[in-house]
Each structure stands twice: as structure tokens, then as C-alpha cells.
Amino acid sequence: MYTDEFSDTIIALSTSQGVGAIGVIRLSGSKSVEIVNSLFSGKNLAKQASHTIHLGKFVYHDQVLDEVLVSLFIAPSSYTKENVVEISCHGSPFIQQKILEALIDSGARAAKAGEFTMRAFLNGRFDLSQAEAVADLIASDSEASHKSALQQMKGGFSLEIKKLREDLIHFASLVELELDFAEEDVEFADRSKLKTLIDEIVMVMEKLIHSFKLGNVIKNGVNVVIAGKPNAGKSTLLNALLNEERAIVSEIPGTTRDTIEETLNINGILFRFIDTAGIRESVDVIESLGIEKTMQKIETASVVLYIFDVTTTTAEDLRMESETLSKNIPLLLIGNKSDKASLTELENKFYGFENMIFISAKQLTNVDQIKDKLSDIVLDKSVNVESNIVTNIRHYEALNACRGALQNVLSALDSKTTTDFLAQDIRYALNALGEITGDITTDDLLDNIFSKFCIGK
Amino acid sequence: MYTDEFSDTIIALSTSQGVGAIGVIRLSGSKSVEIVNSLFSGKNLAKQASHTIHLGKFVYHDQVLDEVLVSLFIAPSSYTKENVVEISCHGSPFIQQKILEALIDSGARAAKAGEFTMRAFLNGRFDLSQAEAVADLIASDSEASHKSALQQMKGGFSLEIKKLREDLIHFASLVELELDFAEEDVEFADRSKLKTLIDEIVMVMEKLIHSFKLGNVIKNGVNVVIAGKPNAGKSTLLNALLNEERAIVSEIPGTTRDTIEETLNINGILFRFIDTAGIRESVDVIESLGIEKTMQKIETASVVLYIFDVTTTTAEDLRMESETLSKNIPLLLIGNKSDKASLTELENKFYGFENMIFISAKQLTNVDQIKDKLSDIVLDKSVNVESNIVTNIRHYEALNACRGALQNVLSALDSKTTTDFLAQDIRYALNALGEITGDITTDDLLDNIFSKFCIGK
């Protein structure tokens, strides 16, 4: 279904910025072969077959810029279903810039972020949620996020939604037909069959909406804020947590300058441990209900690990401190230095607290229990990681909108309201479903989605 | 001249690290097609022609890791003259890592820095100085460095050297022959022709050695340290210098944390202006002959710009200050605020100083003169930028060694010393020449050269 809709030929550096052995510049559009051919000294590219590679010199204004390999993908056998040319050049940012400039001078236009994938979508290569999965795949940084992006690229839940949407369209058209014959008071759409279908769709929606909690965790990772008084053993705990898997530990500069994040992969999910220096340095802050900044950090957390020294903390202290910390965020209490007392003693002392683990960070006792507990808190056991999971907040919102509209349809059916209201609610639901798969799009929506891609994809 | 010398198949990420639309993983070696084929779900790669591209899934342990494009280059039609396979995958570091791991598990070995180019050299694709030019090309960041790297890749002066070396080998063999007949006191090698040849080689050596001053500047850019007392107009000057070409100005974090470099391209050469905060903040430092740190910075400079306020500085001050600053490094004196006095006045006041320019940084008067002067100081007008230029310090040293040996040959010829000394000096010279082109190499030399490449090239 190759279309000639886009008259211009777009171009971008498709590999990441920076010095490397090679860099790849990609063109897409009806003139891409012609444009590259005009700057290529070697075989006549216009006469070569699709999926072939050609060595030659890239020459601009009689000056050789580089020796390059040119790969040809002739429409529709390409990513965008247009003519695509990839130029593999030496990985010097200077050379890449020169080649890009020469190609733009010769008629190509610098691509916007995601524009290649947008063309692929508009030319029918895949639906919108599959296109979005391409960006997720590129951004994937853990086993689970990688798997869910691939699943979504294969079609994922959008196939299921497409099917349900078609069934609903069938009923919608019957309901709309009733509107045309409003004065005759006929019912073309079988109300009980419609109700059954909508019940089914709502059930699917709810399953998918429910999966978003996990999907979000898979896609974005889990922020774990570690809090605690000085000398509670916070750094020792962090080291203990990271120690075993040192190989996959990395230091990522935080979004703010004063925090360092340490990441740890637990069961395929990325956990980011955020060391709130603010809390550490100002003991009194926590006790006096905290400073705004500290609390802000905690509010971005999915889980708070609160570590305390079992030998110096009373149950009353802990109750006060933990009440201050936890609002809606799961709190895991870590009683450190548990080697200095018996377990029975500790259990008596801190009787009645939930989510508490006694450890010895120094002796590495029970540290694995923390990992298991973190997994438990985050992973929804009722959702199978292998199944279709919603990871995209746009889909989540559309699913919620659809469920809301369908629930209105259901109450309209129950209360036997007029057909126009029923028809309108069905239209809302169809719209929300169509937005997920891209059957219904607006320019704004597309711009918004593809602007989040990287340039060159 | 494809050799089967390397039994193992090497692999590396060839594009730069980081997130991009795509990443390219490259394999080279006799088993590269076989290894990729075992993980590729699509056409049978073993049966495909060279220079063709194939879409398929990369599957490892029954799990799809990515949808990839595989490009085949069958020996000897490849960069290394071995079988080369390039896998174009999504630009996620996570996916790239997974694919690399799968390929290494399947029999490939992680390539060392420059190992692909080293194989290309060892398989006779190009000589050593051409191989080195590949690294220079990737690192090129200005018009001039790009041009000289391309020139060297095409063969550059190594062709000239090869030719002279062959002529010299001819004489060397005759001289060696004389050694075998030493007792008969014959002369197979015509001494006057030998002298003519050596004169010619020395002339070429000197031209090339001479070009290194420019070559080094082209390759590495020029460090310009700007010094001056506070309020001399240093920042205004820097802004004035950068202003006109704001587009190609960039901020590069310095090697040390407390300096910022601003780069400016003047006539195709990269100038790095280094703002020595140390000098600026501590006025007394310069007056009291400077702190070690400040002087260290100045010692790395190719040129020092010393800016002073013509209204407050006496000729005596300036003489003292400039003597402190300049040791062996060209010093350019910039008399700022020249709009506050007549040129005649100033010329009288500062009579006898060399390399002095009067400017008004604020009014942008004479700022271009500084650029021209910088160009003059750095560019050797006697060397044509378009000609063969030595940019590599290794070549420079080999050329110097060769010239030294040849001068010994000349004095041996003049003083009619014994043939063994003559033969030995010729051997030294041949050795030095051979090291440039790679006709004579040692493992250490090769390791040293290629370890400076990036991984994947």
C-alpha cells in the first residue's frame, strides 16, 4: 500500500551522535535514490536492485567527503514503504554533518523526530500502537521492558481491540440506523446482544487497565527512595543490595545535581535506588515532618525503604517517623543491626508494624528478603508478564475513556434512555478504541506521539 | 590477497555508544556468516550473494531479541578482506548488548580496538599509514584535518616514500654485496649516483618534516591561552572573537573542571581558546611571576594572547609581564581600549614591542586582525595545505630518524669510511622508511598503533 503522499524526501543521522567506527545516514522518499546518486561516485544507483550494497565515494562540489557504503531499499520493500537509502560513512561527527549538508543542499529535508516511523505508519506498515512500540523498543533497558515492547510490536493487544471495535461498529451502525427511523420506534440493534458485547469489551478493558500498573513499572522502572537517619546503615544497605550484582550496577547522574542513582535489576525489572542526601544530612528534618524538597523526592518514589537502627530506635519513634514518611506510597521498614538482638526480642519490640524486615546490612543477613519484598510490592502477581500488558500512558488513558463511555452505554441500556444518548456514548467508546490503534487520528495526536521518538527513526 | 591467517571471528558494536534509531554490529572472520546464520530467522544467509541485505528476526534461545537487517560482504570483497557481516538492529544499548552476548556465546570473540582495520592492513587492503588515516578521518573535526586524513588515506606521501625506499633498497643491496667481496675492494654501488639519490631523499624528508608543524596544528588544533589582568577586557575580547561565527562555537568541558574551552574555526583550522580562570581571579599571581598551575596551562598553549589595558598599563609593566609569560611560546600582545588614545600615541608609548595589535574589544575594532595574526603564526605559508602533510607524530619521528641516518650516510660517503658503516646507516634509514608504510612492522608497533583506534573499526 505504498502511497505517493509525501512529495519530499527526508533525511537524518540514524545512529547515535558521537564518534564511532561508522555512522548511518538514512533517507526516505521518492527522490532518495536520485539525490544520493547525484553525489555518489560509483555504480549508477538508479539501476541497482533493492537490498543491495554499493561501495563508492561521496563527492560534493568536486571534493571527496568520504568513502561510503550505500544500501538501497526500493519501495515498497522498506521500513517506510518508500524508497529508502542508507549511507554508511565513517563515524566522525564532522563528516556526518558535511554529508547531511550536501544531501540537504541537493533536495532532501531534515527529518523531524519519528518522521520515518510516522511515514511507516501512514503508509500502513503497522498500526499506531505498534509504531509506538518501536520507540519503546529503542528505549528498553531491561529484560521485561524489552519483552513487552517486542510483544506490542508484534501487534499485542491492539489486535484484540481491533476485533472488539469492529463488533462494536456493527452495533453502532444499527443504532445509528435507528436514529434515522426514530419516529417509527424500531429496534434494529438487539439490546441484549449489545449488552453482552459491551460486557465483554469492558472486561477486556479492565484486564488491560489493570495491567498498566505492571506495565508502567516495566517501562519506566521503579524508583526506590532510601531514607533513614545517619548511621542507621543506609550506605551499608545500599552496598549490600548492589554487591551481588555489581556487574550490572551503574551510576547514573540524577536529574538533580545533588542525587546519584544506583540501578539494580531484580527479576528483569529495573529498580532505581535514590539516595536522598537531603534526608541523610538533616536528621531533624524527618523528625520535624520534613522539608518540602525531601518530601518531593519521596513523592516521586514507588517504594520508600526506611532504614532504622533497631538498637537505638523505639517503637514509638518508628511509628512517628513512618507516619510522617508514608502517604500513599508503599513503605518498607528495614530494622538494621538485628544481629545485636534476638529475633523474638525484636518482634516483641516492634510488634504490630507491617512490611518490616530485620537485617544486618554489615553481615548481609536477610538482604535478599528486601529484594523479594520489593518484587512483591511492585509486581502484580495477578498479571502474567508474558501476556499483553499496557505500558503506554496514552493507551491507558484511552482505555479508561473507553471504559467510562461503555459504562454509560450500559446504564443507558438499563435505564432505557433515548437512542441518541446511547448512540453518542457508543461513538465516544469507538473513538477511544480507535485512538489506540490509530484508526482514528488527528494531526495533533500524531505529532505528539512521534515527537517523542528520536531523530532518524 | 585474502589470507586465512586469523582463525577466529571478531565482533564489535561499530556505531557509537548510546541510544539512537539504529545500531550496527559488525563481525569479521571466516565464520561470521555461519555464526549469524545460526541466530537468524529468515533466508539461509549461507546461500546469499555478497553485498546483499536481508530482513529477519534475531533469535536466541527461542526468544526473539530484535528484528534486524543483515548485510553480507563475502571475502575478499569486504573491508577486512574476510567475510564481514553487519547487523543493523534497533538503537537500544540493552538490545545491542544482548545481541553481542548471543553472538559471543555462539563463537565470535569481542574485537580489540582497531582490530578490523588491523586485519585489513595485514590482509593487504592498504599500507600502515593509510590504516592510520582511517583513525584520523574518524577523529577529524575541521575542514583541514578532514582533508589531510582523506589525502593520507588515498596513499598520500607514503607512495612517494615507497618509491624512494625501493630505489634505496637497490643501492643497499649493492653495498651489501660489496661487503661480501670486501677483500677485493670493489665498488658495485656507484657512489656519486648513491649520493644523488640520498640528497633527493633527504630533500623529501625535510619537506615532510617541515610540514609536520602545520600537520600537527591541522590534526590537533591550536590551543590559545588568553591571559590578562581583570578588567583588561578579556571576556569582551573572547566574545568579540566568537561573535561573528557564533554558529560553530561550542562549549567543551575542559580537561580540568575549572576551565571552559571555546572553539573557533579560523580558515579551516580549529582554535581552542582557553580561559585561564586562575589568572583572571588572582591578579597578583601574574605580577608575582605566577603560580605553577597558571604557568602549566600556558605551557600547553601554542599561542598566548596577552590582553592589557592601554590606558592603565605602562611600557615598563608590559615588558615585565610579557617576559614572565613567554618562554618558547609565541606571544601576541593585545592592547585593548585603543579607542581612548590615538594610534600615534600608542605606537610611541609601546615602541619596540613585537607582535602587538591595538584593538577595541567593545567596539569590535581590529578584532579580525587578531584572527589573521593567529593564522599567520600557526600556518606555515611555505607549506601548501593541499599537498602531502605529515600529521602523525609517529611518522614525524620516523622521518627524523631516517634523515639522521641518511646524513650519516652522506658524511660516510664524504669521509670515505668503510663500507660496513655505510651499509649500517643505509639499513637504519630503510628501517625508518619501512616503519611509516608498514613494510617493516613489529607486533608492538602494530598493537600500539591500532590500540588508539575505537572499538568496532
Side-chain angles (χ1 to χ4, degrees), chain B residues 265-278:
Chain B
N265 196 314
I266 305 176
N267 299 332
I269 305 280
L270 203 70
F271 285 79
R272 272 183 298 276
F273 290 94
I274 298 157
D275 195 354
T276 51

Side-chain angles (χ1 to χ4, degrees), chain A residues 134-351:
Chain A
V134 174
D136 289 348
L137 191 65
I138 290 172
S140 68
D141 55 5
S142 71
E143 202 72 43
S145 61
H146 171 235
K147 204 176 276 179
S148 73
L150 270 176
Q151 176 78 4
Q152 191 181 328
M153 254 178 86
K154 278 197 299 188
F157 58 81
S158 69
L159 292 176
E160 199 174 358
I161 285 179
K162 266 200 155 91
K163 166 75 180 57
L164 293 171
R165 185 164 178 271
E166 275 162 25
D167 293 346
L168 191 56
I169 285 175
H170 169 69
F171 276 98
S173 58
L174 294 178
V175 172
E176 300 281 345
L177 203 60
E178 288 175 15
L179 290 178
D180 292 341
F181 293 85
E183 285 166 23
E184 296 176 32
D185 194 23
V186 289
E187 271 195 13
F188 295 118
D190 180 326
R191 294 297 188 269
S192 91
K193 278 190 185 161
L194 177 59
K195 191 170 177 307
T196 310
L197 173 66
I198 288 175
D199 280 338
E200 191 193 337
I201 300 180
V202 168
M203 222 175 65
V204 172
M205 299 290 102
E206 280 182 345
K207 190 188 75 190
L208 290 172
I209 288 168
H210 185 66
S211 78
F212 179 68
K213 190 190 158 197
L214 176 60
N216 192 38
V217 156
I218 285 174
K219 186 171 172 184
N220 300 316
V222 184
N223 287 348
V224 181
V225 164
I226 305 186
K229 296 188 191 177
N231 297 323
K234 215 154 59 82
S235 341
T236 322
L237 170 63
L238 192 56
N239 283 335
L241 280 167
L242 300 173
N243 194 36
E244 292 177 13
E245 317 199 22
R246 183 55 75 186
I248 51 163
V249 165
S250 70
E251 274 195 11
I252 302 170
T255 37
T256 56
R257 281 184 199 178
D258 49 346
T259 60
I260 296 279
E261 297 185 359
E262 297 275 355
T263 64
L264 180 65
N265 196 314
I266 305 177
N267 299 331
I269 306 282
L270 204 70
F271 285 80
R272 274 184 296 276
F273 291 93
I274 298 157
D275 196 352
T276 52
I279 298 188
R280 182 168 49 190
E281 280 163 20
S282 45
V283 191
D284 306 325
V285 168
I286 297 170
E287 290 167 350
S288 61
L289 301 196
I291 286 175
E292 198 185 344
K293 190 184 159 196
T294 303
M295 296 317 285
Q296 274 174 359
K297 198 130 280 165
I298 287 175
E299 270 160 30
T300 68
S302 305
V303 185
V304 174
L305 282 190
Y306 187 74
I307 183 164
F308 63 96
D309 182 338
V310 293
T311 61
T312 57
T313 311
T314 68
E316 196 42 41
D317 288 349
L318 186 61
R319 197 169 318 276
M320 245 179 56
E321 291 162 14
S322 64
E323 272 168 13
T324 311
L325 282 165
S326 162
K327 293 268 145 58
N328 301 309
I329 300 141
L331 181 68
L332 192 51
L333 297 169
I334 311 291
N336 193 22
K337 309 188 186 173
S338 66
D339 49 317
K340 304 227 171 109
S342 78
L343 189 60
T344 325
E345 257 179 88
L346 292 175
E347 280 175 347
N348 285 334
K349 184 172 177 184
F350 297 104
Y351 180 77

Side-chain angles (χ1 to χ4, degrees), chain A residues 14-17 19-22 51-53 64-66 71 90 92 94 98 137-138 140 142-143 146 150 456-457, chain B residues 14-17 19-22 51-53 64-66 71 90 92 94 98 137-138 140 142-143 146 150 456:
Chain A
S14 283
T15 46
S16 69
Q17 298 281 345
V19 173
I22 61 169
H51 289 66
T52 57
I53 307 166
V64 175
L65 289 183
D66 199 4
S71 300
H90 282 93
S92 140
F94 177 82
K98 286 276 161 188
L137 191 65
I138 290 172
S140 68
S142 71
E143 202 72 43
H146 171 235
L150 270 176
K457 191 68 207 180
Chain B
S14 283
T15 47
S16 71
Q17 298 281 345
V19 173
I22 62 169
H51 289 64
T52 56
I53 308 166
V64 176
L65 289 183
D66 199 4
S71 299
H90 283 93
S92 140
F94 177 82
K98 285 277 161 189
L137 190 65
I138 290 172
S140 67
S142 71
E143 201 73 40
H146 172 233
L150 269 176

Side-chain angles (χ1 to χ4, degrees), chain B residues 116-400:
Chain B
F116 291 92
T117 307
M118 187 167 174
R119 289 193 175 190
F121 160 68
L122 292 172
N123 286 328
R125 195 182 202 281
F126 35 52
D127 76 22
L128 196 53
S129 81
Q130 286 173 305
E132 287 172 293
V134 174
D136 290 348
L137 190 65
I138 290 172
S140 67
D141 54 6
S142 71
E143 201 73 40
S145 62
H146 172 233
K147 204 175 274 179
S148 73
L150 269 176
Q151 176 78 3
Q152 193 181 326
M153 251 176 86
K154 278 197 300 190
F157 57 80
S158 70
L159 291 175
E160 197 173 2
I161 285 179
K162 265 197 155 89
K163 166 77 180 58
L164 293 171
R165 186 164 178 271
E166 275 162 26
D167 293 347
L168 191 57
I169 284 175
H170 169 69
F171 276 98
S173 58
L174 294 177
V175 172
E176 300 281 345
L177 202 61
E178 290 177 13
L179 290 179
D180 292 341
F181 294 85
E183 287 165 23
E184 296 175 34
D185 196 25
V186 290
E187 272 194 14
F188 296 119
D190 182 327
R191 293 297 189 268
S192 89
K193 278 189 185 161
L194 176 59
K195 190 170 176 308
T196 311
L197 173 64
I198 288 174
D199 280 339
E200 191 193 335
I201 300 179
V202 167
M203 223 177 64
V204 172
M205 300 289 102
E206 279 179 348
K207 190 188 74 189
L208 289 172
I209 289 167
H210 186 64
S211 78
F212 179 68
K213 189 188 159 197
L214 176 60
N216 192 37
V217 156
I218 285 175
K219 185 170 170 184
N220 300 316
V222 184
N223 287 347
V224 182
V225 164
I226 306 186
K229 295 189 190 178
N231 298 323
K234 213 155 60 82
S235 338
T236 321
L237 170 63
L238 191 57
N239 283 336
L241 280 167
L242 299 172
N243 195 37
E244 292 177 13
E245 317 199 22
R246 182 56 75 186
I248 50 161
V249 163
S250 69
E251 273 195 11
I252 301 170
T255 38
T256 56
R257 282 183 196 176
D258 48 348
T259 60
I260 295 281
E261 297 184 1
E262 297 276 354
T263 63
L264 180 66
N265 196 314
I266 305 176
N267 299 332
I269 305 280
L270 203 70
F271 285 79
R272 272 183 298 276
F273 290 94
I274 298 157
D275 195 354
T276 51
I279 298 187
R280 182 170 48 190
E281 279 162 21
S282 45
V283 191
D284 305 325
V285 166
I286 297 170
E287 290 168 346
S288 60
L289 299 197
I291 286 175
E292 198 185 344
K293 193 183 156 197
T294 303
M295 297 317 284
Q296 274 175 359
K297 200 129 279 164
I298 287 174
E299 270 161 31
T300 69
S302 304
V303 185
V304 174
L305 282 190
Y306 187 74
I307 181 162
F308 63 96
D309 182 338
V310 294
T311 62
T312 59
T313 311
T314 67
E316 194 44 39
D317 287 348
L318 187 61
R319 198 170 316 277
M320 243 179 58
E321 290 162 14
S322 64
E323 272 168 14
T324 311
L325 282 165
S326 163
K327 292 273 146 55
N328 301 309
I329 300 142
L331 180 68
L332 192 51
L333 297 169
I334 311 291
N336 193 22
K337 310 189 187 173
S338 65
D339 50 315
K340 305 231 171 101
S342 78
L343 189 59
T344 324
E345 257 178 89
L346 292 175
E347 279 174 349
N348 285 335
K349 183 172 176 184
F350 297 103
Y351 179 77
F353 284 96
E354 282 182 357
N355 280 334
M356 181 177 292
I357 297 174
F358 296 111
I359 65 158
S360 165
K362 210 173 237 166
Q363 295 174 24
L364 300 177
T365 319
N366 279 353
V367 172
D368 279 349
Q369 268 194 32
I370 299 177
K371 293 184 192 174
D372 292 343
K373 191 78 189 172
L374 282 173
S375 256
D376 284 351
I377 291 175
V378 161
L379 289 179
D380 189 331
K381 287 279 151 61
S382 65
V383 180
N384 182 355
V385 185
E386 305 286 331
S387 69
N388 287 324
I389 293 169
V390 177
T391 60
N392 189 311
I393 189 142
R394 191 182 74 78
H395 299 168
Y396 175 70
E397 283 168 358
L399 288 166
N400 266 321

